[in-house]
Amino acid sequence: MKTRRSHKAGLLLLSAFAAIGAAGCGGQPEVQGKTGGEDGKAAEKAFDYNQTATLTMYNPTVSPDYYKDYILPHIKKKFPNVTIEHINPSDPGNGIDNLISAKKLPDIYLMATNGIPNLMEKGLLANIEPIAKTNKIDLTVFEEPMLQSIRGISDKGELLGLPWTYGSTALFYNKDIFDRYGVAYPKSGMTWDSPELRDMIVKLNRPQDGVKGIMFNLGNMLGQNQLSLPFVDPKTEKALVQAEGFKRIIDTFASLYKLGGSVDPADFDSSGQKAFITKRNVALWAGNAVYPMLIDLEKKGNGFNWDIVSLPTFKEASGVGTQYFGAVWSVSAANGKQELATQIIALLTSAEVQIEGGGLIRFPTLKDPVVKDSLGKGESFLQAKNMKALQLNKIPAATTPTKYDGTAAGIVVGKAVEVIRDQKDSNTALREAAEEIDKKIADIRGAK
C-alpha cells in the first residue's frame, strides 16, 4: 500500500539523516514541462538518453534499501542503458581518501551539505552551473536560498550540488498536556520573546507533575541557527562563537526553559527528543523532522496527540527560520562524465521525482506550489497535521561553512547545555568554547 511504502521510506531516510548527524528535490524542467524555450527543446532532443554508460555513485546519506527503491528506478526509466554502481562508504576501503589513492573516484555524490567542504578542498566536485547552462537545465525552479547556501560554500561562488532535501524545523506541541492544563494551543508566527509564548510556558511548566514547558534540539537550533551566525572564520580558521548572537540564542533558550517553576536544570539534555516523544513530559519542543518516528509509533498503537506550528523567530530576524541544511546531489570533477551525471541529478531533483519524495516525507526544494504541497501527502496520518507550518518561515542567508563546523557546533552545544543547567554563565561558556575550538582546529591541522 502507498502509506506503508511511504512510511517505510520515511523511516529509511530518517535513519540516514541521523547517521550523518543532521537532522525535497528540485530540478530538470523537462519533467515539469518547462524546457527553457525552443532552444531547451532542441537540447533535450540532442541529448542521448539511450546511451550506454556505467557510472559510480557515492552515497553516505541514504540506506541501501532507500537507494534501491526510490533512486535507481527513476534512473533506469529515464536512462535505460545506464548502469549505476553503488559505492557504500561504510564498506572497507571505500573512504574518500582510499578511493583517491585507488584512482576510483565516484561520478555522482549524494551527501549532506556539511560534507561538501572536505570534497571541495580536495578538488573533487564540478561546478554544475556551466554544465546546466549548456544543457538548458533550468536552475531557477529551485528555492533560491537553497542554491545560494550551496554557492556560499565555495569562495568562488560555484554551485557544487543541487538540493535534494531540507532538514526542516518546527515547534512541536503535545496537545494532551495543553488540554490537561486548559491552555490554548500555540499559533504560528510567534517570536521567542513574545508574551504569548512566555505566558504559555509558565502555565505549562509544572515541576510538581514532572512536566516541562519547553525543550530544544540544540544541535539544530544552534547548528543551523536563525541568526546566520558562523562558527569558524573560513579565512583565518579561528572560532567566531563569542559573537553576541550566540549569547542571545543561548540566553533566550535558558530563560524559556526555566520559566514558571523550579525545573531541575540537570534534567535538560541537548536534544529533548526523548523527553517529547518517549517520556512525553514536555509540552513544547523546538525540533527537527521526526515525522517517520511519530508515524511509526502511531501505527504500533503507541502514538500521542501532537501537532506543529512554525518555529518561533527572533525579533531581529522576524519570520526567519533555520538555515538550509540537507542532502545534495553533486557531480565529480573527474572521469569526464559530467554532462551525463548532471542530467541524472537533474532528473533526481525534478518535479516528478520530488512529488514522490514529498509523499515520502522528503522536504521539497522547488518553488512549484504543487511540489511544495506534496509534503506528507503519501501518509494519511499527516493529513490532519499542520504540515504547511513548515513552509511559513523564510530560509535565511547561510553562513560560509568550513570543514570544522561539525566539531565547533558540538562544542558550542555542550557549552549551551552547561549554561541551561546553571553550571556557568554564557560569557564564560562561549569563551571556553572558542578556546576549545581553536585548539581542536590546531590539532587537526597539525595532524596533517
Side-chain angles (χ1 to χ4, degrees):
M1 292 179 64
K2 185 177 181 183
T3 54
R4 183 174 299 174
R5 179 173 178 263
S6 64
H7 166 58
K8 174 187 174 186
L11 285 174
L12 293 174
L13 190 60
L14 177 71
S15 62
F17 270 100
I20 62 174
C25 316
Q28 175 150 345
E30 178 271 328
V31 183
Q32 291 180 280
K34 299 177 184 177
T35 58
E38 294 303 318
D39 289 341
K41 293 178 182 178
E44 179 186 339
K45 292 176 183 177
F47 187 82
D48 182 9
Y49 293 100
N50 292 312
Q51 63 182 281
T52 300
T54 298
L55 282 77
T56 53
M57 182 178 290
Y58 187 80
N59 166 34
T61 305
V62 299
S63 72
D65 284 346
Y66 194 101
Y67 166 81
K68 180 181 60 147
D69 292 344
Y70 303 108
I71 295 175
L72 280 184
H74 291 293
I75 299 174
K76 184 54 65 177
K77 180 181 177 182
K78 185 77 175 182
F79 304 88
N81 299 316
V82 169
T83 298
I84 301 292
E85 295 180 351
H86 182 225
I87 299 176
N88 188 337
S90 62
D91 290 344
N94 278 356
I96 284 294
D97 290 336
N98 299 113
L99 295 174
I100 292 173
S101 298
K103 294 182 171 55
K104 294 182 179 179
L105 290 173
D107 299 298
I108 297 172
Y109 298 87
L110 174 60
M111 59 187 161
T113 45
N114 61 1
I116 292 178
N118 183 47
L119 299 189
M120 178 184 71
E121 185 181 75
K122 298 177 187 295
L124 301 182
L125 302 180
N127 181 9
I128 293 170
E129 208 115 35
I131 306 171
K133 184 176 181 179
T134 299
N135 287 272
K136 302 295 188 291
I137 296 171
D138 185 6
L139 298 179
T140 66
V141 297
F142 290 99
E143 292 281 4
E144 185 59 25
M146 298 184 185
L147 291 184
Q148 291 291 30
S149 296
I150 298 170
R151 289 189 184 102
I153 298 173
S154 164
D155 57 6
K156 299 177 183 177
E158 294 179 337
L159 186 64
L160 300 178
L162 296 182
W164 188 57
T165 62
Y166 170 48
S168 60
T169 50
L171 185 65
F172 291 74
Y173 63 100
N174 184 322
K175 287 186 171 182
D176 293 331
I177 294 178
F178 275 78
D179 292 344
R180 185 188 315 165
Y181 299 118
V183 179
Y185 298 151
K187 298 178 181 179
S188 292
M190 295 186 294
T191 67
W192 291 115
D193 300 315
S194 67
E196 177 186 4
L197 177 61
R198 298 179 74 85
D199 182 60
M200 190 182 302
I201 295 171
V202 168
K203 292 177 179 177
L204 294 165
N205 219 2
R206 305 283 180 129
Q208 67 275 19
D209 299 333
V211 174
K212 302 175 181 67
I214 190 167
M215 290 190 76
F216 317 88
N217 185 328
L218 292 179
N220 290 105
M221 301 309 299
L222 287 167
Q224 288 79 57
N225 66 80
Q226 295 165 278
L227 300 182
S228 296
L229 301 167
F231 289 93
V232 177
D233 187 313
K235 295 182 178 179
T236 65
E237 297 189 337
K238 293 290 186 181
L240 297 174
V241 299
Q242 292 190 80
E244 185 63 28
F246 278 111
K247 174 178 168 59
R248 164 91 160 107
I249 294 172
I250 294 172
D251 285 346
T252 296
F253 293 162
S255 171
L256 292 173
Y257 178 72
K258 299 167 190 175
L259 280 175
S262 55
V263 178
D264 186 353
D267 286 343
F268 184 86
D269 68 77
S270 64
S271 166
Q273 180 175 303
K274 183 176 180 180
F276 182 76
I277 295 176
T278 306
K279 294 182 179 180
R280 300 173 190 176
N281 63 346
V282 175
L284 295 158
W285 178 59
N288 55 316
V290 292
Y291 310 106
M293 187 180 301
L294 293 167
I295 293 168
D296 190 48
L297 288 171
E298 186 71 19
K299 291 182 182 296
K300 291 176 178 177
N302 191 30
F304 63 103
N305 198 10
W306 62 271
D307 209 335
I308 61 172
V309 294
S310 64
L311 191 70
T313 63
F314 289 92
K315 60 185 179 182
E316 59 266 45
S318 179
V320 172
T322 50
Q323 296 172 64
Y324 175 68
F325 179 87
V328 298
W329 289 102
S330 296
V331 170
S332 174
N335 306 338
K337 301 175 185 176
Q338 287 83 7
E339 185 177 68
L340 176 57
T342 301
Q343 290 282 359
I344 290 173
I345 69 170
L347 165 70
L348 294 173
T349 55
S350 67
E352 178 183 330
V353 179
Q354 178 123 266
I355 289 172
E356 179 195 56
L360 301 174
I361 324 174
R362 208 168 66 219
F363 196 97
T365 62
L366 291 182
K367 298 174 184 176
D368 189 336
V370 175
V371 178
K372 293 170 75 169
D373 194 48
S374 69
L375 183 63
K377 289 295 176 68
E379 179 51 66
S380 58
F381 174 65
L382 294 181
Q383 298 303 302
K385 304 300 181 183
N386 184 25
M387 301 303 286
K388 289 188 179 297
L390 295 173
Q391 301 180 15
L392 296 178
N393 285 337
K394 296 176 290 187
I395 299 174
T399 61
T400 301
T402 74
K403 61 183 177 180
Y404 306 111
D405 285 356
T407 297
I411 291 172
V412 173
V413 166
K415 296 298 180 182
V417 170
E418 292 180 359
V419 173
I420 294 172
R421 288 178 175 173
D422 283 335
Q423 294 171 337
K424 58 189 59 170
D425 65 87
S426 56
N427 288 324
T428 301
L430 290 171
R431 186 186 69 249
E432 292 177 355
E435 293 169 354
E436 291 180 24
I437 292 167
D438 287 343
K439 184 179 185 305
K440 191 68 176 178
I441 291 174
D443 290 345
I444 294 171
R445 296 175 64 181
K448 289 185 177 181

